[in-house]
Amino acid sequence: MQAPSLFWSVLIGAIASARSMTPMAALSAARLLGRHTPGKLALLDRPLFKYGALAMGAGELAGDKMKTAPDRTVALGLVARVMSAGIAGAALAPSGRERAGALAAVATAVPLAYLTLDARKSAMKRIGQTPSGLIEDALVIAGGVAIVALAVKPDRRG
């Protein structure tokens, strides 16, 4: 059974709603493992982008646990989600539908950022900032890795 054409783009947008850098880190890891995305983006083959995205993904996970970490719905947080979701959504869209994939991912990421923030705040009240963040990290990383793993294919160029 084949997934609907923008299915993976919408799902990666949901991941970006909670962790803006996880979609880019997951795509970069896939490229480093010799996988290719359905959507064509030369950016994914640039070493600075691949390694930078991995570093930013790890940094975001650490920074999120700090008491001074801003909410994901502040302007800069939303801009990061728009950019990450757009790039990842385009990469996971079928070839020729990259723009539609980017739009679908962004349209998912931005409103869900508010819902995931509410869920996180609720969890923080019950179990604290660090435990709720670690649980959210585990769910988001697992989801991002699964989505990318299911959406990409082995690189047959070499």
Side-chain angles (χ1 to χ4, degrees), residues 30 80 88 115 141 144:
L115 294 175
I141 292 168

Side-chain angles (χ1 to χ4, degrees), residues 11-157:
L11 290 182
I12 206 69
I15 295 301
S17 76
R19 293 287 180 278
S20 62
M21 295 297 119
T22 297
M24 303 312 305
L27 284 171
S28 295
R31 290 303 296 151
L32 288 167
L33 293 171
R35 312 286 283 181
H36 72 88
T37 58
K40 305 299 179 224
L41 291 174
L43 182 67
L44 296 176
D45 291 319
R46 304 217 185 277
L48 180 63
F49 176 83
K50 286 190 277 195
Y51 294 109
L54 289 171
M56 289 176 69
E60 180 182 35
L61 295 176
D64 178 66
K65 310 313 168 291
M66 296 170 46
K67 298 254 185 246
T68 58
D71 286 347
R72 62 193 71 177
T73 56
V74 300
L76 190 56
L78 290 175
V79 168
R81 277 160 180 71
V82 166
M83 291 172 56
S84 178
I87 293 168
L92 297 182
S95 184
R97 304 231 28 231
E98 290 89 352
R99 284 187 182 176
L103 289 172
V106 169
T108 303
V110 173
L112 274 183
Y114 291 90
L115 294 175
T116 59
L117 176 61
D118 285 345
R120 174 70 186 278
K121 284 182 175 181
S122 176
M124 284 172 55
K125 287 178 186 172
R126 280 185 257 129
I127 62 174
Q129 181 171 2
T130 300
S132 66
L134 292 172
I135 292 167
E136 187 177 41
D137 287 348
L139 293 171
V140 169
I141 292 168
V145 167
I147 291 162
V148 171
L150 292 168
V152 301
K153 297 183 177 26
D155 193 347
R156 300 186 196 278
R157 291 183 288 179

